[in-house]
């Protein structure tokens, strides 16, 4: 009898070790970029186009990674992740709003984040990765408070959510808040229903932004893939310009508020976009940049954007 108990305990110990060890090993293997190479000349071209932020400014970036799922049109993650890590190292953003971070992206980013960077809220149940997340420079910023909400309406709670945080600059002691989101989108044949969903998400986000601004007496910067474009003569109805106008009615788009703007060869100031960094409160947008050059195509189907701000 005693021998049987010992055998059972030994088996349980082995199983427990496997439960702990196997996921960790898989995480490390999936995140190993040792054999992944960036596109030829990527880092050098990036360095040519990125200017450092000025002393005292906060740099906020937004980037839709494009998941690694073939059904979504995504290519393998590792080569693209090597490019993304190079992007972070070069741009040196203080906060990054990340969208479409599938499990492959999560492993690659968490294993290779540059020194000092941390990630907020990547997990949902401990198994499924939340695809809307936030990265920040913990060497410069402290997290005063953070949280997240799942939209009451939406087609996928892993994407359709808001991650938020209130940060304090360790040196200046100035505070600011950042939200990051990924709205639903209009689909042909479902426009009326999806418009109601996007309007509800817009209302929830604006309510959160107002609450953060009032509760912490600080500016709020809203990053994300909003799946809505500015209302231009070229903007089709399927791109939901009404939602953009709703947001821009209360928030300032850093692209239009910035003193300087910079774009790559693939876009210009006149081109509307799904990706935005909005401002609410007393902050000044100094520069807005969209890295819209051909060498960025291999990384994602969205161009990264960032803005430098004075608070």
């Amino acid at each position: 009898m005693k021998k049987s108990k010992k055998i059972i305990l030994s088996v349980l110990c082995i199983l427990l070790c496997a439960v702990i060890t196997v996921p960790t090993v898989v995480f490390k293997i999936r995140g190993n970029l040792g054999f992944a190479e960036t596109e030829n000349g990527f880092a050098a071209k990036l360095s040519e186009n990125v200017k450092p932020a000025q002393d005292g400014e906060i740099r906020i970036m937004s980037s839709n990674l494009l998941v690694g799922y073939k059904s979504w049109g995504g290519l393998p993650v590792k080569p693209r992740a090597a490019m993304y890590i190079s992007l972070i190292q070069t741009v040196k953003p203080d906060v990054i709003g990340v969208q479409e971070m599938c499990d492959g992206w999560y492993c690659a980013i968490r294993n290779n984040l540059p020194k000092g960077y941390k990630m907020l809220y990547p997990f949902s149940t401990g198994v499924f990765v939340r695809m809307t997340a936030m990265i920040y420079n913990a060497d410069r910023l402290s997290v005063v408070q953070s949280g997240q909400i799942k939209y009451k309406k939406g087609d996928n709670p892993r994407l359709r959510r808001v991650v938020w945080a209130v940060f304090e600059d360790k040196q200046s002691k100035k505070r600011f808040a950042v939200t990051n989101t990924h709205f639903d989108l209009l689909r042909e044949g479902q426009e009326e229903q999806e418009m109601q969903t996007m309007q509800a998400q817009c209302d929830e986000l604006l309510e959160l932004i107002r609450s953060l601004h009032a509760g912490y007496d600080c500016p709020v910067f809203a990053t994300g893939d909003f799946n809505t474009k500015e209302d231009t003569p070229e903007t089709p109805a399927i791109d939901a310009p009404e939602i953009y106008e709703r947001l821009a009615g209360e928030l300032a788009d850093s692209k239009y508020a910035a003193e300087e703007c910079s774009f790559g060869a693939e876009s210009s100031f006149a081109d509307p976009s799904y990706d935005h960094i909005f401002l609410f409160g007393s902050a000044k947008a100094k520069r807005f940049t969209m890295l819209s050059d051909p060498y960025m195509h291999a990384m994602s189907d969205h161009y990264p954007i960032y803005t430098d701000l004075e608070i």
Side-chain angles (χ1 to χ4, degrees), residues 61-309:
M61 186 167 85
S62 185
S63 55
N64 183 315
L65 302 174
L66 178 59
V67 295
Y69 310 150
K70 288 184 179 180
S71 59
W72 290 32
L75 296 172
V77 164
K78 285 190 176 184
R80 298 192 290 127
M83 299 170 71
Y84 191 68
I85 297 303
S86 179
L87 175 73
I88 297 175
Q89 291 170 332
T90 304
V91 176
K92 295 180 174 59
D94 295 298
V95 183
I96 312 170
V98 181
Q99 306 93 43
E100 292 195 26
M101 185 186 68
C102 61
D103 55 338
W105 268 109
Y106 166 73
C107 292
I109 292 175
R110 280 298 294 267
N111 273 296
N112 297 280
L113 273 175
K115 183 179 180 298
Y117 281 91
K118 294 184 178 181
M119 188 180 292
L120 289 175
Y121 298 115
F123 282 118
S124 53
T125 64
V127 177
F128 297 108
V129 173
R130 293 188 181 105
M131 300 167 77
T132 300
M134 193 178 292
I135 297 169
Y136 70 100
N137 182 354
D139 283 347
R140 180 177 186 182
L141 304 174
S142 298
V143 177
V144 177
Q145 189 60 270
S146 63
Q148 58 186 320
I149 61 172
K150 179 179 69 176
Y151 286 126
K152 294 174 183 176
K153 291 185 177 181
D155 61 3
N156 186 335
R158 295 174 64 198
L159 283 82
R160 315 306 178 195
R161 61 193 311 112
V162 188
V163 174
W164 63 268
V166 178
F167 297 101
E168 181 175 276
D169 188 306
K170 292 180 178 179
Q171 185 171 357
S172 70
K173 303 304 179 183
K174 291 181 178 179
R175 291 185 175 185
F176 63 94
V178 181
T179 67
N180 178 50
T181 193
H182 192 174
F183 278 4
D184 233 295
L185 72 160
L186 298 188
R187 298 177 175 88
E188 291 187 13
Q190 303 178 44
E191 290 90 346
E192 184 176 349
Q193 177 183 346
E194 294 291 355
M195 178 59 76
Q196 292 176 1
T197 296
M198 293 182 75
Q199 288 172 339
Q201 292 171 353
C202 184
D203 290 341
E204 281 192 76
L205 176 64
L206 288 171
E207 182 180 355
L208 173 64
I209 290 171
R210 293 188 212 104
S211 175
L212 291 172
H213 179 259
Y216 294 93
D217 190 26
C218 68
V220 184
F221 310 127
T223 68
D225 174 358
F226 293 88
N227 275 316
T228 176
K229 293 183 177 181
E230 304 97 303
D231 191 3
T232 72
E234 291 75 32
T235 305
I238 201 71
D239 286 334
E242 304 97 317
I243 300 298
Y244 177 86
E245 293 302 312
R246 173 82 175 88
L247 292 165
E250 290 201 39
L251 314 174
D253 188 335
S254 61
K255 171 182 171 181
Y256 298 97
E259 296 176 3
E260 302 174 27
C261 286
S262 175
F263 297 83
E266 300 289 285
S267 71
S268 69
F269 184 86
D271 296 323
S273 172
Y274 290 129
D275 306 286
H276 310 285
I277 301 174
F278 291 104
L279 322 177
F280 187 73
S282 56
K284 183 182 292 186
K286 302 297 289 185
R287 283 165 298 281
F288 173 89
T289 302
M290 175 179 282
L291 295 173
S292 50
D293 276 299
Y295 66 86
M296 299 298 300
H297 290 174
M299 193 180 79
S300 175
D301 59 346
H302 287 243
Y303 296 118
I305 60 173
Y306 62 89
T307 186
D308 297 332
L309 304 132

